[in-house]
Amino acid sequence: MERLIKLSKVCDISAGLVLRRKEAQTKSEIIKTYKLITLKSLEDDGWVNSEYLDDYNSFELLDDRYLTKENDILIRLSSPYTAIKVKAEQVGFVIPSLFAIIRLNKKDIDSGYLSFVLNSDTIKKSYFKNAMGITIPVVRMQTIRETQIPMVSTTKQQIISKINDLMIREKRLHQQLTLEKEVYNKELTKRIIKGGNKNAK
Amino acid sequence: MQSKQWTQKEVNETLWRACDTFRGKIDSSIYKDYILVMLFMKYISDVYKEHYTELLEKYDGDKEMADRQIKLDRFTLNDASSFDDLYQNRNASNIGEIINKALADVEETNKTKLRGVFKNIDYNSESILGNTKERNTMLKDLLEDFSKLDLRPSRLLGEDVIGNAYEYLISNFASDAGKKGGEFFTPSEVSELLSRLVKPEENDRIYDPTCGSGSLLIKAFDKVHSKKAQIYGQERNGQTQSLARMNMFLHSIDDAKIAWGDTIANPLHIENGKLMKFQVVVANPPFSLDKWASGFSGESNGDFKMESSLDPYKRFDWGVPPKSKGDYAFVQHMLHSLAEGGRMGVVLPHGVLFRGASEGKIRKEIIDLNLLDAVIGLPANLFFGTSIPATILIFKQNRNRDNILFIDASQDDMYEKGKNQNKLREEDIKQIVDAYEKYETEDKFSYVATKKEIKENEYNLNIPRYVDTFEEEELVDLKEVQENIESIKAELEEVETEMKKYLEELGV
């Protein structure tokens, strides 16, 4: 049987940057402009959409712990508590305090597997129950630290991680298909109403 | 040390803060009058004070000379009725009464310009401002708030700071309170647009039959560079008419004639027993005013029906608008007040363009008489308290063409989206005014319709009938789409096979 392990045992968990603390107020103060992860840039299926990143001007160089690293997992602290895995091309972005940063410190856990588990309904429900606040229920860092993760063999983790990737890809393909079908059917409708056009491409 | 200069923004903010004295205690639609009157008092006191000091300097401290000279000013004040005097009395137990007396005194000493301006305001009213103790505290706070402002002309940065501050308060109160019954404050960009479209000229008589606080008239007056134009207005609400008069005074339009009364039942600008004629007529009448003709009902009970014969000025001979929609009553009043060669612009709800029955008949008459020059559709949500889109109709007497120009300015790129209100920007106003000047068909924006087309549309002026704003759909290559679909399907199949493989490995 698989054993359960506390998330804090296998990862370093910290909060993102409180933006106001390092934000340059005037142009002359700017030391560096970073790309900033925003809530909008987080797609529900667990990937970062670079189109919606913002610029962040800081008045000093930021500590590495606030910048994305490959294989980090970010958890959104407010509903729907989406977890995303940071890919190689998404490193160096500023993580604001709206997210928890999960940084793996052990070799025996796969980041793809972990994000799969963290995105499961069971975990999200437990976060929802433990969230604080009324209008915007926010999950506490402590709750995240205590998340119970089922541990399976490394091989199994890798397979599950691949399945996770496939699921995300499959969902995006289905969305694309729906869009293309819509265009196709609209055009068909138009041609049918016009009484058909034999020379149509 | 250089003395502080007040910017428009600082004056506006200080004033808005002064309203905190009343917030939560009295409804903003009522306390706005107290604030605006106090602003008026403070301003005229400060102007007077400064001018008097200047005169004293000029005559080497000769008080008698200065006194004599200042009597020739635009207005005069007695020491006992100045703001400073009121401020010194701020702790008096009868401060409400003292303010009332001061106002009466200001009116009396400036009879020709300000008679009756403060008729509706009572700073000693127990029913509005509460019992003596509460009232005194409130008035003391109010006087203290205003004492912080220095409105002497030399301390104000920019021209017309006071006039603008007054307008700022009026518009903020309008958005704060939300007007009921179809009466909406005209946002300043709409007033600006309307006044540019009707192009007021020197020596014109400019008239607004539903002038409210007078903002639209002031905008129109501003377009006359020499400032030689005569302003006429009428307003049904007595308090608002007073505000309009103060507004005119603050904008240095001393000879504006703002009458108080119901324009439809009792038009007050009459010449030789007939409606006075104006070269420029502008208005933003209440949208679809219900019971607009009630002023004609006399003694009748409930079963009153308006007939054109009841109007001595024969304004409704083209048709009597429906009881619950006064839009065309105002349009007809305005058209009957338009001089030869006059220009007229009016903001109305879209319904006037297509509603049938009597309104359809009136519309037909107006078009057949060749009075309508342009129809301009505005973006939705420009007005405080209502989201409905409005339209501007431009009319002209003696038109030298018989087409009608349609402009669709309601499109997304024609305004700035705001949180509560949308806003016309200068570039949007300019684009509309330019299009009107050019009077040409422009793809997806404007269209010059012939009389024949209007007739074919049965005098329905609904803008989409003339200005086609539909985007041409891109040509779709069915074959290419089909190929995309096939390739997505193939990829899906691949994903499924791969998935199956991994699931088997997992043993699920």
Side-chain angles (χ1 to χ4, degrees):
Chain A
M1 219 183 92
E2 60 199 22
R3 85 198 141 92
L4 292 172
I5 191 162
K6 252 193 212 172
L7 188 58
S8 55
K9 294 265 189 221
V10 283
C11 328
D12 295 325
I13 303 166
S14 60
L17 172 70
V18 177
L19 297 179
R20 215 161 6 111
R21 289 197 189 141
K22 307 281 177 189
E23 188 164 23
Q25 298 301 320
T26 57
K27 264 194 177 165
S28 57
E29 278 178 14
I30 303 173
I31 294 292
K32 191 166 175 182
T33 301
Y34 293 91
K35 286 279 170 212
L36 173 72
I37 304 248
T38 57
L39 288 182
K40 216 178 166 189
S41 64
L42 221 69
E43 297 288 341
D44 282 352
D45 309 336
W47 55 287
V48 176
N49 189 340
S50 313
E51 257 182 59
Y52 296 117
L53 296 175
D54 272 353
D55 281 340
Y56 178 73
N57 299 320
S58 69
F59 58 72
E60 63 180 40
L61 290 177
L62 296 178
D63 195 319
D64 275 350
R65 67 190 165 123
Y66 295 123
L67 304 175
T68 49
K69 263 174 77 179
E70 188 180 356
N71 287 331
D72 277 354
I73 293 167
L74 311 180
I75 302 183
R76 185 182 158 149
L77 294 176
S78 54
S79 174
Y81 316 113
T82 316
I84 55 152
K85 183 183 134 182
V86 176
K87 290 186 187 148
E89 66 272 20
Q90 294 166 335
V91 297
F93 301 160
V94 179
I95 308 157
S97 57
L98 306 164
F99 299 96
I101 310 164
I102 319 279
R103 200 155 276 177
L104 307 184
N105 59 14
K106 291 238 168 69
K107 287 237 163 82
D108 56 359
I109 189 137
D110 181 277
S111 60
Y113 168 71
L114 192 54
S115 80
F116 174 78
V117 174
L118 290 172
N119 263 328
S120 67
D121 278 354
T122 329
I123 302 266
K124 284 191 177 178
K125 251 185 217 161
S126 76
Y127 286 170
F128 186 71
K129 277 186 199 157
N130 284 296
M132 308 271 290
I134 301 164
T135 38
I136 310 169
V138 171
V139 64
R140 288 177 306 161
M141 294 298 290
Q142 192 54 31
T143 311
I144 293 180
R145 286 195 184 98
E146 284 167 10
T147 315
Q148 299 283 333
I149 306 292
M151 281 303 281
V152 293
S153 72
T154 325
T155 337
K156 219 170 172 186
Q157 283 188 36
Q158 280 163 356
I159 298 173
I160 293 174
S161 170
K162 282 189 177 130
I163 291 177
N164 187 28
D165 288 345
L166 287 171
M167 281 176 171
I168 294 175
R169 198 168 136 208
E170 191 183 31
K171 195 169 174 189
R172 286 168 75 180
L173 284 170
H174 275 299
Q175 284 165 348
Q176 271 176 25
L177 186 63
T178 313
L179 286 178
E180 291 287 339
K181 268 280 183 196
E182 226 166 75
V183 175
Y184 186 80
N185 290 345
K186 241 188 185 167
E187 181 62 23
L188 268 190
T189 313
K190 212 157 84 187
R191 292 189 185 184
I192 291 168
I193 284 174
K194 271 187 190 162
N197 182 349
K198 280 177 192 150
N199 296 324
K201 280 193 208 170
Chain B
M1 199 186 82
Q2 190 163 12
S3 23
K4 178 169 170 49
Q5 298 251 302
W6 288 75
T7 62
Q8 181 77 60
K9 200 165 165 253
E10 285 170 324
V11 172
N12 289 357
E13 281 166 2
T14 311
L15 286 170
W16 194 237
R17 267 201 305 279
C19 301
D20 288 341
T21 302
F22 292 110
R23 279 197 188 105
K25 296 172 192 145
I26 310 167
D27 200 71
S28 67
S29 58
I30 296 167
Y31 74 67
K32 77 169 198 299
D33 301 332
Y34 289 91
I35 296 275
L36 290 168
V37 167
M38 194 49 78
L39 169 65
F40 185 78
M41 266 306 274
K42 171 73 177 150
Y43 176 67
I44 58 171
S45 296
D46 283 359
V47 171
Y48 186 81
K49 194 164 66 184
E50 179 163 82
H51 195 204
Y52 190 73
T53 323
E54 281 167 10
L55 287 174
L56 269 184
E57 267 173 36
K58 188 175 164 190
Y59 297 113
D60 293 330
D62 186 341
K63 220 170 157 295
E64 212 174 297
M65 276 294 279
D67 281 344
R68 202 181 307 154
Q69 199 61 30
I70 205 154
K71 291 229 157 64
L72 305 172
D73 255 17
R74 253 181 92 208
F75 61 90
T76 52
L77 273 189
N78 296 323
D79 283 345
S81 53
S82 73
F83 179 85
D84 290 350
D85 188 67
L86 296 179
Y87 182 67
Q88 255 145 42
N89 280 312
R90 67 191 181 282
N91 289 314
S93 58
N94 60 337
I95 180 66
E97 209 180 311
I98 295 176
I99 300 177
N100 282 349
K101 265 193 198 148
L103 293 177
D105 190 55
V106 171
E107 257 189 45
E108 186 54 33
T109 37
N110 299 284
K111 269 187 272 201
T112 48
K113 293 183 182 108
L114 299 175
R115 180 182 290 168
V117 159
F118 306 124
K119 61 182 179 288
N120 293 308
I121 195 129
D122 180 2
Y123 281 86
N124 205 27
S125 162
E126 185 151 347
S127 59
I128 297 173
L129 301 176
N131 65 33
T132 315
K133 201 177 153 210
E134 278 176 35
R135 189 165 72 234
N136 285 352
T137 322
M138 226 185 273
L139 293 175
K140 182 184 160 199
D141 287 346
L142 184 68
L143 288 166
E144 281 178 349
D145 285 339
F146 271 88
S147 72
K148 291 175 203 144
L149 268 174
D150 188 344
L151 302 178
R152 282 178 287 173
S154 61
R155 297 295 156 85
L156 298 176
L157 281 171
E159 282 172 38
D160 205 18
V161 172
I162 289 307
N164 292 339
Y166 197 81
E167 293 271 311
Y168 163 84
L169 280 181
I170 291 176
S171 71
N172 264 22
F173 284 125
S175 63
D176 201 36
K179 285 270 186 171
K180 293 182 186 75
E183 282 178 47
F184 304 107
F185 175 80
T186 319
S188 74
E189 321 87 60
V190 177
S191 302
E192 177 65 28
L193 170 64
L194 195 54
S195 52
R196 281 198 217 171
L197 289 166
V198 292
K199 285 202 248 157
E201 287 165 11
E202 195 175 281
N203 298 328
D204 275 352
R205 282 173 168 180
I206 305 171
Y207 172 50
D208 181 347
T210 55
C211 71
S213 49
S215 321
L216 187 48
L217 282 171
I218 289 166
K219 283 268 191 247
F221 183 79
D222 278 348
K223 300 286 161 290
V224 185
H225 296 298
S226 64
K227 305 292 167 220
K228 278 186 199 149
Q230 181 67 49
I231 295 291
Y232 294 83
Q234 184 161 341
E235 169 57 39
R236 193 170 66 165
N237 179 320
Q239 187 54 47
T240 312
Q241 182 247 358
S242 296
L243 293 183
R245 290 184 57 201
M246 281 184 260
N247 203 1
M248 294 295 156
F249 189 83
L250 293 178
H251 282 88
S252 312
I253 312 174
D254 284 351
D255 54 356
K257 295 182 170 54
I258 309 292
W260 172 26
D262 176 353
T263 306
I264 299 298
N266 184 23
L268 292 166
H269 296 296
I270 304 294
E271 211 169 33
N272 304 326
K274 287 182 182 162
L275 289 180
M276 195 184 261
K277 302 278 185 185
F278 305 89
Q279 284 74 33
V280 170
V281 183
V282 284
N284 176 13
F287 286 176
S288 302
L289 182 66
D290 192 17
K291 301 195 182 105
W292 58 271
S294 59
F296 291 98
S297 63
E299 311 260 298
S300 65
N301 302 317
D303 54 351
F304 168 71
K305 190 170 180 296
M306 178 66 191
E307 279 163 26
S308 63
S309 58
L310 290 172
D311 178 36
Y313 304 104
K314 305 199 180 322
R315 288 168 292 177
F316 307 115
D317 285 358
W318 302 333
V320 178
K323 194 175 166 184
S324 63
K325 292 191 171 57
D327 302 314
Y328 273 105
F330 290 105
V331 172
Q332 290 185 92
H333 167 81
M334 291 167 80
L335 282 169
H336 282 87
S337 306
L338 199 58
E340 289 284 301
R343 287 91 58 210
M344 159 179 156
V346 52
V347 186
L348 294 163
H350 270 252
V352 298
L353 300 176
F354 50 77
R355 285 194 298 247
S358 61
E359 291 182 286
K361 271 184 221 151
I362 300 170
R363 200 163 54 234
K364 180 175 179 299
E365 283 291 332
I366 293 174
I367 294 168
D368 285 342
L369 286 165
N370 200 22
L371 293 168
L372 181 62
D373 199 39
V375 176
I376 301 165
L378 297 177
N381 216 6
L382 284 182
F383 290 77
F384 302 104
T386 176
S387 60
I388 58 167
T391 173
I392 290 181
L393 299 188
I394 304 288
F395 299 87
K396 270 185 180 174
Q397 275 278 7
N398 303 5
R399 281 193 340 133
N400 52 10
R401 52 192 168 209
D402 67 351
N403 298 333
I404 295 176
L405 174 72
F406 288 83
I407 298 176
D408 185 351
S410 68
Q411 299 159 53
D412 277 355
D413 55 347
M414 289 292 297
Y415 60 90
E416 183 185 294
K417 276 203 171 76
K419 202 170 152 206
N420 298 321
Q421 238 80 53
N422 292 330
K423 230 174 135 66
L424 288 176
R425 296 156 297 192
E426 170 58 29
E427 69 232 52
D428 306 322
I429 297 177
K430 199 169 170 302
Q431 198 181 343
I432 298 171
V433 175
D434 287 351
Y436 177 59
E437 303 266 298
K438 273 198 226 149
Y439 216 86
E440 282 170 5
T441 297
E442 195 183 312
D443 194 29
K444 298 193 196 319
F445 181 57
S446 60
Y447 185 78
V448 181
T450 60
K451 263 286 168 54
K452 196 171 154 247
E453 282 171 277
I454 307 270
K455 277 181 191 159
E456 276 167 11
N457 275 304
E458 291 164 339
Y459 294 90
N460 183 325
L461 301 176
N462 205 13
I463 301 168
R465 289 194 179 215
Y466 304 92
V467 187
D468 183 2
T469 53
F470 279 102
E471 287 295 328
E472 284 281 326
E473 281 179 42
E474 268 180 56
L475 277 181
V476 176
D477 184 343
L478 266 193
K479 204 173 151 205
E480 199 187 303
V481 180
Q482 182 71 50
E483 276 167 15
N484 285 348
I485 292 174
E486 292 309 325
S487 98
I488 294 171
K489 278 185 181 165
E491 208 180 327
L492 269 172
E493 228 169 275
E494 227 173 81
V495 170
E496 275 164 22
T497 322
E498 218 175 317
M499 180 95 90
K500 215 170 158 190
K501 196 184 90 196
Y502 286 126
L503 289 176
E504 268 167 21
E505 270 183 57
L506 264 191
V508 181

